[in-house]
Amino acid sequence: MSRISGRPAISTEHVYGLSLRVARWREGTPGTPLLFLNGIGADIATAAPLLARMHGREVWTLDMPGVGGSPDALIPYGAPTIAAVVMEIADRLGHRLIDVAGFSWGGALAQQIAIQFPGRVRRLILMATTPIMGAPGIGWAAMFDDDMLASGLKIQTATPLGIAYQTAAMAGWTSIGFLSGLKNMPVLVLAGEQDGVMPICYARMLAQQIDGALIEVVPGSHLFPFTHAAAVADRISAFLDRLASAQAAA
């Protein structure tokens, strides 16, 4: 486990027939914990350099079925099912109220969780994602650009079935028509200025659907949360800390 930055506590949770590897940084830190939901096929180790930099709070994430340390699912699953699985794990960790950050595929799942479990999500960060999963930009080959190559980032390989089931879970998924219900939730939308997979227009769609959402364009392409991990961690922490300070003063 030494390859995982920050040396998180690692466990396996068995939920609804799935066995999922879970990682927790700064376990038990007071305050609202942050759940990070990764992109398709990416594992805990890929996200670790970002999550290890988010000090002052517990941060946790998990490998989806067929990814990293989680074995394949026996049957396909849909977005509502995997959202329920994630929140069952949150319950087991003692996290009744959480902040949620989602990247790409995980950004869609983050939206699903916020919509499906009102009252459980306090703040939401959406990165390089979309309200319409049937709109994939110019293609996944755009991930392998100069920004990623210069970073030396290694994307872990999921099993073919893991990728297939993750893809199927969001096939035809959309949050349009539901996002307006998040108007009382602080939301930060981050978009990479050179993202060819989820171009900035999708971030704008999200911000238009969510009343009061903040939208920011940051350096990098689709994998900016990982290729620019320090800057993104600082931006997320600033967003969460500012809101926490405002709520404490109120």
Side-chain angles (χ1 to χ4, degrees):
M1 298 300 178
S2 61
R3 72 188 182 97
I4 302 180
S5 300
R7 299 184 180 276
I10 303 292
S11 64
T12 299
E13 297 293 335
H14 304 280
V15 183
Y16 305 155
L18 298 173
S19 296
L20 302 174
R21 183 174 67 160
V22 176
R24 302 171 73 182
W25 286 260
R26 293 167 294 282
E27 179 181 358
T29 300
T32 306
L34 174 67
L35 163 64
F36 175 78
L37 297 166
N38 219 333
I40 192 167
D43 72 352
I44 286 168
T46 303
L50 170 68
L51 305 186
R53 288 178 165 88
M54 293 185 186
H55 303 290
R57 58 179 47 81
E58 179 173 335
V59 183
W60 64 285
T61 189
L62 68 159
D63 285 339
M64 290 296 154
V67 177
S70 297
D72 286 325
L74 296 178
I75 59 174
Y77 52 86
T81 297
I82 202 66
V85 167
V86 170
M87 294 308 287
E88 172 64 23
I89 294 174
D91 285 339
R92 294 183 184 186
L93 299 181
H95 298 164
R96 177 64 190 171
L97 188 65
I98 58 175
D99 296 328
V100 181
F103 161 67
S104 195
W105 185 96
L109 181 58
Q111 295 169 62
Q112 178 68 36
I113 288 173
I115 293 165
Q116 189 172 335
F117 293 91
R120 296 289 306 273
V121 178
R122 186 161 67 168
R123 294 165 287 197
L124 187 63
I125 301 102
L126 302 174
M127 297 178 282
T129 193
T130 172
I132 307 173
M133 285 300 286
I138 64 174
W140 296 106
M143 287 196 302
F144 300 98
D145 55 18
D146 292 342
D147 185 50
M148 176 182 170
L149 295 175
S151 75
L153 180 69
K154 305 295 183 183
I155 297 294
Q156 303 301 312
T157 303
T159 67
L161 189 60
I163 292 290
Y165 280 180
Q166 274 195 274
T167 302
M170 291 294 179
W173 176 92
T174 180
S175 59
I176 290 179
F178 298 96
L179 290 176
S180 60
L182 304 182
K183 60 184 178 181
N184 295 321
M185 180 184 299
V187 178
L188 174 64
V189 180
L190 298 179
E193 62 182 351
Q194 298 173 323
D195 191 343
V197 178
M198 295 293 177
I200 295 169
C201 61
Y202 298 128
R204 293 187 180 123
M205 289 172 65
L206 285 166
Q208 289 168 358
Q209 290 283 317
I210 305 170
D211 187 29
L214 301 175
I215 180 170
E216 295 183 15
V217 179
V218 298
S221 52
H222 187 62
L223 297 173
F224 70 82
F226 312 132
T227 58
H228 298 266
V232 172
D234 287 346
R235 182 63 196 94
I236 292 172
S237 294
F239 172 71
L240 296 176
D241 292 342
R242 177 178 59 81
L243 290 169
S245 297
Q247 289 169 350

